[in-house]
Amino acid sequence: MEIIKDLPEVFEEFAQQRKNSFLAVKEYKDKGIPVVGSYCTYFPQEIAMAMGAATVSLCSTSDETIAEAEKELPKNLCPLIKSSYGFAKTDKCPFFYFSDVVVGETTCDGKKKMYELMGDFKETYIMELPNTQREEALLLWRKEMIRFKEYLEEKFQTTITEDDIKKAIKTNNEARLALRRLYQVMRHDPAPITGYDLFKVLYGSTFKLDRSLIAGEVNVLVDKIEKEYAEGKMQEKKPRILVTGCPIGGATEKVIRAIEDNGGIVVTYENCGGAKSIDKLVDEENPDVYDALARRYLDIGCSVMTPNPNRLELLGRLIDEYQVDGVVEMTLQACHTYNVEAYGIRKFVNEVKKKPYISVETDYSQADIGQLGTRITAFLEML
């Protein structure tokens, strides 16, 4: 007989997924299963999955190794890059240690140069990501899908068929649909769960080595949330906040806490770990699997794209669908693309969507927690 766990226990299991997967990744290696590490939502997971590899997110979100990274990287560099490099250099990230190859992408200049240095001590494969979404860029990105596939075939002495890729596309689409169904529970007003609990599941799922398990686990969770909501279990009615900007996780969860500890509730995340990475599916009807993958991944509305209309389209849709009262943008220090784009996001939110907006710039230290709380409390009080 299956034991039905309480929601807090389920949320905590997802929160612990990263740590739990430390042991799992070693077991994968012991069984001879390839492990492919990646740093970005532009990474086409399906191609690695098609050869039976486990894929895992490597982005580091702590200041623990930044001092070590700064021995080789400039101090005025984005903390995400310094943290990622520091964890790689010090071997403090089991996922990096056990990865057979690390896949990077030409998103921002800082990451590109970091990958060069990383290549001195770890096999690092770079995908040439166009910084525009024109049709010509799509052709280049499609070629990059094929080049990556051929690289994996040669490195692991295997064959990746289009049928294998189609199966992986179906598996990943099912995972995305389940995670999308999860964050859509926050359309309810009042919200059924906290934004922090929602985040635990979204973030924890990125460390699930077997992505075929995500859909089933998440759908069971959503059914339970909806059942309890129908029974009257829900959060208090509070100002409904959308969080946008740089990737959130680890140290920057302080922004979520600053919102929810001071009277607000995060009902949706536009960031990489939220809707941005789940909103679009790969077209399973497209007979050209490489074109289908290229279109899906190139359409992601990241600030590295010029111009970047897809971010505004998603942002506007989320503001409407989730009845958002205010927008909080979190930018990391020295993340130039997001910091520059914040001006246009503010104009869009204020002038087009007629909603209040605040931008908070931070890093991976805990030194600004008090200031964050003060600023966000003042913002919430005016809603």
Side-chain angles (χ1 to χ4, degrees):
M1 179 175 153
E2 186 181 0
I3 298 172
I4 305 299
K5 297 174 182 174
D6 291 336
L7 286 180
E9 188 180 353
V10 178
F11 292 136
E12 198 51 39
E13 283 184 2
F14 274 96
Q16 294 299 316
Q17 182 62 54
R18 184 170 178 267
K19 287 182 181 176
N20 295 340
S21 292
F22 288 165
L23 291 175
V25 72
K26 183 182 184 304
E27 292 170 3
Y28 271 62
K29 288 293 291 182
D30 290 343
K31 293 176 184 174
I33 298 171
V35 177
V36 179
S38 67
Y39 283 97
C40 187
T41 51
Y42 284 109
F43 167 64
Q45 291 174 314
E46 291 84 354
I47 295 177
M49 289 167 61
M51 71 166 193
T55 65
V56 66
S57 172
L58 298 177
C59 269
S60 303
T61 52
S62 158
D63 64 355
E64 180 185 345
T65 62
I66 283 181
E68 191 64 31
E70 287 177 346
K71 292 177 181 178
E72 298 175 25
L73 299 177
K75 285 184 169 56
N76 64 342
L77 190 62
C78 162
L80 186 149
I81 297 171
K82 290 190 291 186
S83 179
S84 298
Y85 187 75
F87 272 93
K89 190 74 177 174
T90 59
D91 261 345
K92 287 189 173 181
C93 174
F95 298 134
F96 184 91
Y97 178 82
F98 286 114
S99 289
D100 295 287
V101 60
V102 168
V103 180
E105 70 309 310
T106 54
T107 43
C108 77
D109 292 339
K111 285 173 78 177
K112 284 191 288 189
K113 303 310 286 186
M114 176 192 75
Y115 294 137
E116 285 184 25
L117 299 180
M118 196 177 280
D120 290 340
F121 56 88
K122 187 76 171 183
E123 179 155 359
T124 306
Y125 181 87
I126 308 298
M127 297 190 72
E128 189 70 34
L129 175 73
N131 292 148
T132 182
Q133 292 161 330
R134 296 194 304 267
E135 201 67 23
E136 301 91 330
L138 182 67
L139 296 175
L140 168 62
W141 194 224
R142 180 185 178 279
K143 289 179 181 177
E144 285 297 286
M145 298 290 154
I146 297 171
R147 186 171 73 91
F148 179 47
K149 189 265 300 191
E150 292 172 346
Y151 161 79
L152 292 177
E153 287 179 323
E154 182 177 350
K155 176 172 174 58
F156 295 100
Q157 293 298 293
T158 188
T159 300
I160 300 172
T161 68
E162 292 192 8
D163 280 343
D164 293 331
I165 296 174
K166 286 176 182 176
K167 288 174 186 172
I169 287 172
K170 183 174 177 57
T171 296
N172 234 11
N173 274 349
E174 287 172 352
R176 290 187 187 107
L177 283 169
L179 289 166
R180 187 197 295 177
R181 187 171 166 244
L182 170 69
Y183 72 70
Q184 286 176 343
V185 303
M186 302 302 274
R187 289 174 172 174
H188 289 304
D189 188 11
I193 59 176
T194 68
Y196 194 33
D197 282 338
L198 170 65
F199 177 79
K200 288 174 186 174
V201 182
L202 295 174
Y203 186 60
S205 69
T206 66
F207 299 102
K208 200 79 170 173
L209 300 178
D210 185 350
R211 293 191 62 79
S212 68
L213 300 177
I214 293 175
E217 291 180 7
V218 173
N219 279 323
V220 168
L221 172 60
V222 175
D223 290 343
K224 187 166 179 60
I225 292 170
E226 292 286 11
K227 179 177 180 293
E228 292 196 2
Y229 192 80
E231 294 168 353
K233 295 180 183 177
M234 59 191 70
Q235 300 298 303
E236 293 176 37
K237 192 163 174 59
K238 299 175 181 177
R240 298 167 63 83
I241 302 300
L242 178 150
V243 172
T244 184
C246 293
I248 282 189
T252 49
E253 290 172 29
K254 61 187 175 183
V255 176
I256 305 171
R257 290 194 293 271
I259 294 167
E260 300 206 324
D261 290 349
N262 292 292
I265 189 159
V266 181
V267 292
T268 185
Y269 299 90
E270 185 271 339
N271 320 56
C272 292
K276 186 176 288 179
S277 60
I278 306 165
D279 184 63
K280 295 182 186 297
L281 303 181
V282 181
D283 182 4
E284 296 179 33
E285 302 302 316
N286 188 334
D288 183 343
V289 292
Y290 304 109
D291 179 74
L293 287 169
R295 288 180 185 279
R296 187 268 167 195
Y297 282 97
L298 195 63
D299 269 354
I300 293 171
C302 177
S303 65
V304 299
M305 290 295 165
T306 302
N308 188 19
N310 290 357
R311 184 180 179 198
L312 296 181
E313 187 278 328
L314 176 59
L315 196 60
R317 185 153 41 91
L318 293 175
I319 288 171
D320 293 342
E321 289 180 9
Y322 292 82
Q323 305 164 66
V324 167
D325 297 310
V327 173
V328 174
E329 176 149 29
M330 190 281 289
T331 56
L332 292 170
Q333 290 174 3
C335 179
H336 301 315
T337 56
Y338 272 103
N339 275 302
V340 171
E341 199 167 88
Y343 172 74
I345 297 298
R346 179 189 293 274
K347 284 189 67 176
F348 175 77
V349 173
N350 286 165
E351 298 175 13
V352 178
K353 304 311 292 183
K354 309 295 184 188
K355 299 291 181 183
Y357 165 100
I358 186 174
S359 174
V360 293
E361 187 178 21
T362 189
D363 59 13
Y364 288 166
S365 78
Q366 300 301 300
D368 63 348
I369 285 180
Q371 182 192 46
L372 271 175
T374 301
R375 291 193 64 207
I376 287 177
T377 299
F379 178 71
L380 292 171
E381 286 175 351
M382 75 177 217
L383 298 181

